[in-house]
Structure formats: C-alpha cells, structure tokens
C-alpha cells in the first residue's frame, strides 16, 4: 500500500504507559534527528492519550517530542500525578464526606480516591497544546484524537483536532466530536473510575476513555488511517496450577476489572478487524467501494513481560500513605496485583518499562521498518 497514511494508537494503562515511551524512542531512532513523526494520525486513550498529545505537539520533530516525553516518564514520582501526603489525602476525603450533606442543587466534588491536581499542573507546564493546530496547518499531522467516556450518555466520545475536511461521526454508543484539545480532555480520558475524579467538558462529565470504548481502532480509521501501529501494555496470562489456586481477593477482582477495561476490548476489536480483512480478500473491488470498506493493515507491539511482578519489585518506592491504602484492600509487595502496576508512577519502575519497550522494538526492528515504510 504505497503512501498509505500511518496511524498510531496508544492504549491506556496508567503507569504502564511508560512502556509506550520506550517503544516510541526506538522508533524515533529509525529516522534523522529533525524528521517529522511517521504517523499522520495519532489516537490515544487514558494514559495513552497523554502520550499521544505529547507526540502530536512535536509532530514536526518526532525525536524531540519523544525525548521530552521520556524525560517526564524517567523522572516520575507519584506526587506528580496525585496528592500523596497524609494531610492532603485526609482533606480530600473529608471534602468528599462533607459533600454528602450539601443540597442536591449545589455542585459537588467528583468522587475519587485521589486528587489528581498535580497531574493537571504537570500537563499545563510541559504540554503546549497550541502546537497541535500549527502542526496540522503545516502538514506534519492530519489528526489527533483523545477518547473519553461520557458519564451522562454512557457513550464513548473521541474528541479530535484535525484537518478541516474531516467530519464528525456517529455510531452506536460512540462518536467523534471536533474540538480544540486541552488538558481537561486529557484529564478526562485518564480518569480511572473511582481512582481519579471525572472531568467536566461543556455540560457533561467524562471519565477514563477505556470504560465505554467498544471499538478502540475506530477513531483512527474514521480519521483516515490506512495502516495502524498499536502499542498496548498487557499483562500476560499466567497459568496457575490447580493446587495453588485460591479464592480471589478484592484486590484480585479489582485488578481483573482494570485489565478488562484496558485490554479486552482492544483484543476483540483487533480480532474483528482481522476477520474483515480476510473477508475483503474475497470481495470484488467494486463491492468494497459500494460498502465503503477497505483493508486496514495492523501491527501490534505487545509485551510478554510480567508487568505485575515488575511493579511488585518497586512496591516500597511508593509513598507510605499509598502503600498503607493499598494494604487496606489486600495489596502488598507479594500480591502480584494489577492495581500496583497501574499506580506505580515511580521512576525506577517507569525506567524499566521504558527499557523493555525500547528493546521489544529493536527485536522486531526489521518488521517494523517494513510496516512503516511508505
């Protein structure tokens, strides 16, 4: 497919998204220092939305954008994402409790375990979102989308900034809306339910984009992508011997719910795309045009590393207040819970994931180069 438009899809996963940075770093080294991003269409959800916008802001110089992103992730601490001090957490929870006694007509603070105001300050400090429109105008980028879940309608909404000819779309339980992206879209997309507060955009409230996202590949395809490069961060299935199986704890169940939110719909959508591509191989070209369907080539970079075990290694890097809260729900350094891997915004952990992503791309370098070649 000559001169096909390449799309980049970055999935959610909290602190696991550091893996994406390592992969992008390796890909950026395939090109000269001043080369633009090889992806004309960039889409992201949850933590992947933040990484997506960072790349879009520097679409004119791909390697520079990745370097800036790497600097943030390599120096992460939990306090950069949510308030960690005992006094701050107590005050936040006290305000939530006092809201119960307010009149229903008074605006209340969104319910969440943590206050993510530090993340907002971080985004406002490092991301100049005005650069996105400039990169689109100069032809370095066709479109960027950030997906969030509308808690009012229950729909998956992809807010996109793109060339003028790209129109809004509407499908069952999902739609695309043109917008000028800002940090509130990123805060909404990355607001893990009950962990971080939902964000208000216009009159509605939005949360993590993975919650209602039935078709993660859809935004990139609607925006014109013909080849899709997907970077997901999935915990591989570990087969436990029958004799070692135990009743799942609350932490185990919560971890499985998060894994379902962030990975299962993507796996199902990729399988659906594969079947459509196989069907199109035996479909006459004129009928393909009539049905408005086209073959979408896809390359998925997924890891086979035990992410939960890596997070367990760095459990004591978390602030003592966060460790104490996790222990209340049964999570410790030996629990092998997914929850830890999502909240481990600590540099030793993120640096290891960055290196894993980097090495995984190098191991598949030839195949990735061929996929990205126009």
């Amino acid at each position: 497919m000559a001169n096909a438009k390449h799309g980049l899809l970055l999935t959610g996963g909290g602190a696991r998204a550091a893996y994406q940075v390592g992969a992008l770093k390796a890909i950026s080294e395939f090109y000269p220092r001043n080369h633009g991003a090889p992806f004309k269409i960039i889409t992201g959800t949850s933590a992947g939305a933040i990484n997506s916008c960072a790349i879009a802001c520097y679409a004119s110089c791909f390697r520079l954008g990745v370097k800036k992103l790497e600097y943030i992730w390599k120096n992460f601490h939990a306090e950069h994402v949510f308030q960690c001090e005992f006094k701050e957490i107590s005050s936040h929870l006290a305000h939530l409790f006092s809201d119960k006694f307010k009149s229903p007509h008074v605006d209340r603070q969104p319910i969440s375990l943590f206050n993510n105001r530090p993340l907002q300050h971080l985004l406002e400090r490092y991301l100049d979102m005005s650069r996105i429109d400039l990169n689109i105008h100069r032809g370095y980028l066709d479109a960027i989308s950030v997906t969030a879940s509308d808690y009012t309608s229950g729909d998956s909404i992809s807010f996109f900034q793109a060339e003028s000819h790209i129109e809004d779309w509407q499908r069952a339980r999902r739609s695309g809306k043109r917008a000028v992206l800002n940090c509130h879209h990123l805060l909404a997309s990355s607001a893990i339910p009950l962990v971080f507060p939902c964000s208000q955009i216009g009159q509605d409230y939005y949360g993590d984009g993975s919650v209602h996202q039935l078709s993660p590949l859809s935004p990139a395809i609607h925006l014109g992508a013909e080849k899709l490069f997907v970077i997901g961060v999935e915990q591989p299935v570990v087969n436990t011997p029958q004799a070692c199986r135990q009743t799942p704890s609350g932490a185990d169940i919560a971890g499985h719910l998060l894994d379902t939110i962030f990975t299962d719909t993507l796996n199902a959508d990729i399988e659906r795309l594969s079947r459509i591509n196989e069907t199109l191989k035996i479909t006459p070209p004129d009928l393909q045009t009539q049905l408005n369907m086209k073959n979408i080539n896809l390359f998925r970079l997924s890891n086979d590393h035990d992410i939960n075990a890596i997070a367990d290694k760095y459990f004591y890097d978390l602030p003592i207040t966060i460790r104490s809260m996790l222990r209340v729900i049964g999570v410790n350094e030996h629990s092998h819970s997914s929850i830890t891997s999502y909240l481990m915004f600590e540099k030793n952990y993120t640096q290891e994931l960055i290196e894993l992503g980097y090495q995984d791309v190098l191991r598949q370098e030839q195949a990735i180069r061929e996929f990205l070649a126009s």
Side-chain angles (χ1 to χ4, degrees), residues 15-315:
R16 292 182 180 185
Y19 176 87
Q20 300 170 352
V21 180
L24 292 170
K25 177 184 177 182
I27 294 172
S28 72
E29 294 176 358
F30 296 171
Y31 303 92
R33 290 182 179 276
N34 61 346
H35 196 281
F39 308 103
K40 288 290 188 180
I41 294 150
I42 303 175
T43 63
T45 304
S46 194
I50 296 175
N51 288 342
S52 295
C53 277
I55 298 303
C57 286
Y58 291 91
S60 60
C61 188
F62 185 41
R63 191 177 294 192
L64 176 61
V66 174
K67 273 185 172 293
K68 288 182 175 289
L69 196 56
E70 182 188 15
Y71 173 80
I72 295 173
W73 280 96
K74 274 194 169 183
N75 294 280
F76 245 140
H77 290 292
E79 64 188 22
H80 296 151
V81 180
F82 48 88
Q83 294 177 346
C84 299
E85 295 294 330
F86 178 78
K87 182 179 179 180
E88 294 172 330
I89 294 175
S90 300
S91 176
H92 173 66
L93 296 179
H95 277 108
L96 288 179
F97 180 75
S98 65
D99 278 352
K100 291 178 176 291
F101 304 100
K102 289 183 179 179
S103 167
H105 305 290
V106 177
D107 287 338
R108 301 183 183 187
Q109 183 176 321
I111 296 176
S112 65
L113 186 61
F114 299 113
N115 187 328
N116 65 346
R117 192 171 300 158
L119 177 59
Q120 180 176 347
H121 295 159
L122 183 75
L123 295 175
E124 291 173 344
R125 178 180 177 185
Y126 285 103
L127 285 185
D128 181 4
M129 305 284 276
S130 64
R131 295 175 61 96
I132 292 177
D133 197 49
L134 187 63
N135 285 326
I136 293 173
H137 179 70
R138 292 180 174 178
Y140 293 110
L141 184 70
D142 284 359
I144 163 77
S145 86
V146 169
T147 299
S149 298
D150 188 339
Y151 284 143
T152 302
S153 66
D155 290 348
S156 174
I157 310 297
S158 294
F159 297 100
F160 69 90
Q161 200 164 335
E163 293 181 318
S164 57
H165 70 272
I166 298 178
E167 299 179 349
D168 293 6
W169 66 87
Q170 180 69 53
R171 297 292 185 271
R173 305 311 299 271
R174 53 190 168 91
S175 62
K177 294 183 179 180
R178 181 177 290 273
V180 177
L181 298 178
N182 56 51
C183 72
H184 293 290
H185 294 96
L186 301 183
L187 291 171
S189 182
S190 58
I192 300 175
L194 300 179
V195 178
F196 301 132
C198 58
S199 185
Q200 185 175 10
I201 301 174
Q203 298 299 315
D204 295 332
Y205 288 89
Y206 295 84
D208 197 294
S210 300
V211 175
H212 292 131
Q213 194 171 37
L214 301 178
S215 183
L217 306 180
S218 171
I221 296 172
H222 277 291
L223 293 172
E226 297 165 310
K227 300 179 76 174
L228 264 177
F229 192 85
V230 180
I231 308 179
V233 193
E234 183 176 2
Q235 169 69 16
V237 177
V238 179
N239 292 322
T240 305
Q242 183 70 37
C244 299
R245 296 179 185 178
Q246 299 177 342
T247 303
S249 66
D252 294 331
I253 295 172
H256 279 292
L257 287 174
L258 288 175
D259 288 340
T260 298
I261 289 172
F262 288 118
T263 61
D264 285 3
T265 52
L266 175 63
N267 293 334
D269 208 21
I270 290 177
E271 181 180 353
R272 189 182 306 118
L273 177 66
S274 178
R275 289 184 177 182
I276 291 174
N277 286 342
E278 290 299 319
T279 302
L280 289 176
K281 288 180 180 179
I282 57 174
T283 304
D286 56 338
L287 184 56
Q288 293 183 31
T289 303
Q290 184 179 344
L291 295 173
N292 193 26
M293 298 176 70
K294 61 182 178 181
N295 184 84
I296 304 293
N297 292 333
L298 183 140
F299 190 106
R300 182 183 186 183
L301 180 74
S302 57
N303 67 288
D304 57 359
H305 312 287
D306 192 339
I307 302 296
N308 293 347
I310 296 172
D312 287 345
K313 283 195 308 181
Y314 302 111
F315 184 78

